[in-house]
Amino acid sequence: EKRTRTLIEKNGYHDSVYINAAKIFQGIHSEKRTDRMLVRYGDDSESPMLTFKDEHSQRVSYELAFSALKYQDLLEEILLDSCVYPCQSIPDELTSLLVVMLYDLQDRKFRARLIFDDEEPVAEVQKIERYLYSFRTKLAAALARCRIKHDALSIEYILPETIRKQEQRASALPLYVWINTFKISLQDVFRDLKQKGFTRVESVSDFNRYTYCMDRHCHDVLVFPSSLKEELLNLDLFADCKLLLQ
């Protein structure tokens, strides 16, 4: 299960994740003034009904939605510059799904998504995916033009400087993890982490690669280096909700 989960994140997500991410994005996307509105997102007056398969699906759905929000202006520019948008066969109600899936497609370097046997297909996702993938060359070219225009090595450098600084600060913050003492004891967590190659140190200042320490104020909270986020989330301790990322 753990290996499959990693592959899903590397090669795309289940259809349900895209649907939930699009619903979240629909409620949080930036609205332009009417005279500047080139991309239309349909009606978002009703609160979306979100159904998550598990905690992991919920986390990646929100991450995908907020990544699309962060790059909304760029993604809209790519859609317009490539002439992929507007499209008569795609109603405004599916624009959020289009933007969310475009972000994921470019994040995968415009490679095809890996489909798993347990995938429950969603017609709207399949439709948008086929449409975007058929124009992947034009979309990649539009992205390249945007990077040249902004003299950016990657899309991260296209973000406003204030957002980039916020991200740099956030990425440097240690990770705080709650121990779910209803499911596991502190000693069992220490033993499991030691088996996985982690070393317990006295404080954050002693952090190296695979190290962690106890929080000074909460006896059931562990602190890890920020660089270990993806590796931690793939541990069985997290999959079984014995450890919970703050």
Side-chain angles (χ1 to χ4, degrees):
E1 178 190 356
K2 183 175 67 176
R3 286 194 299 270
T4 301
R5 178 171 294 179
T6 305
L7 284 170
I8 291 172
E9 287 201 296
K10 188 175 181 180
N11 296 285
Y13 305 97
H14 284 129
D15 287 15
S16 60
V17 170
Y18 294 112
I19 287 293
N20 284 322
K23 289 177 179 178
I24 296 165
F25 180 79
Q26 179 71 19
I28 62 175
H29 72 272
S30 300
E31 288 282 0
K32 306 288 196 307
R33 293 202 319 257
T34 305
D35 59 332
R36 296 181 57 223
M37 190 182 296
L38 299 176
V39 177
R40 301 185 180 278
Y41 289 92
D43 181 27
D44 59 354
S45 57
E46 294 184 11
S47 298
M49 294 293 293
L50 301 173
T51 307
F52 300 107
K53 184 172 64 173
D54 51 33
E55 184 181 349
H56 172 76
S57 297
Q58 181 179 19
R59 177 176 64 84
V60 295
S61 296
Y62 275 96
E63 285 182 355
L64 184 55
F66 277 91
S67 293
L69 175 66
K70 186 168 61 176
Y71 292 103
Q72 180 182 333
D73 289 344
L74 171 65
L75 296 169
E76 290 179 356
E77 186 177 347
I78 292 171
L79 286 172
L80 293 167
D81 183 46
S82 63
C83 298
V84 170
Y85 181 93
C87 173
Q88 289 185 346
S89 63
I90 297 178
D92 292 348
E93 288 70 25
L94 291 182
T95 302
S96 287
L97 183 59
L98 185 72
V99 170
V100 163
M101 294 191 73
L102 173 59
Y103 172 80
D104 180 59
L105 181 61
Q106 67 78 33
D107 196 40
R108 287 184 279 117
K109 312 300 182 187
F110 297 95
R111 291 191 294 263
R113 177 171 61 124
L114 182 63
I115 304 297
F116 293 89
D117 293 337
D118 64 342
E119 179 86 52
E120 192 170 325
V122 177
E124 293 87 349
V125 172
Q126 302 288 317
K127 174 182 178 179
I128 296 297
E129 182 171 41
R130 286 193 299 270
Y131 180 71
L132 285 173
Y133 196 68
S134 68
F135 288 102
R136 63 190 180 280
T137 303
K138 286 187 174 183
L139 291 166
L143 173 58
R145 286 192 292 271
C146 288
R147 286 173 51 192
I148 291 170
K149 183 174 74 173
H150 293 278
D151 193 22
L153 293 173
S154 64
I155 65 172
E156 289 81 8
Y157 291 95
I158 299 177
L159 291 172
E161 187 177 359
T162 53
I163 295 179
R164 278 193 281 123
K165 286 184 177 179
Q166 288 173 2
E167 290 206 324
Q168 288 170 359
R169 285 196 295 267
S171 65
L173 292 174
L175 302 173
Y176 287 81
V177 173
W178 291 94
I179 298 173
N180 185 353
T181 52
F182 289 104
K183 290 194 170 188
I184 193 169
S185 68
L186 272 68
Q187 294 306 316
D188 286 341
V189 170
F190 298 154
R191 184 173 62 250
D192 199 312
L193 288 173
K194 186 176 181 179
Q195 291 174 349
K196 296 291 193 302
F198 288 86
T199 302
R200 184 176 162 190
V201 295
E202 288 299 316
S203 69
V204 172
S205 61
D206 299 320
F207 275 173
N208 202 334
R209 183 73 174 103
Y210 290 99
T211 52
Y212 71 97
C213 66
M214 298 290 295
D215 184 81
R216 293 183 180 275
H217 306 288
C218 301
H219 73 281
D220 56 352
V221 173
L222 305 179
V223 190
F224 291 85
S226 59
S227 60
L228 295 178
K229 182 177 180 181
E230 290 304 318
E231 293 177 73
L232 287 174
L233 292 173
N234 280 319
L235 292 178
D236 292 333
L237 288 168
F238 282 86
D240 298 334
C241 297
K242 293 175 181 176
L243 292 183
L244 304 170
L245 184 64
Q246 174 64 42

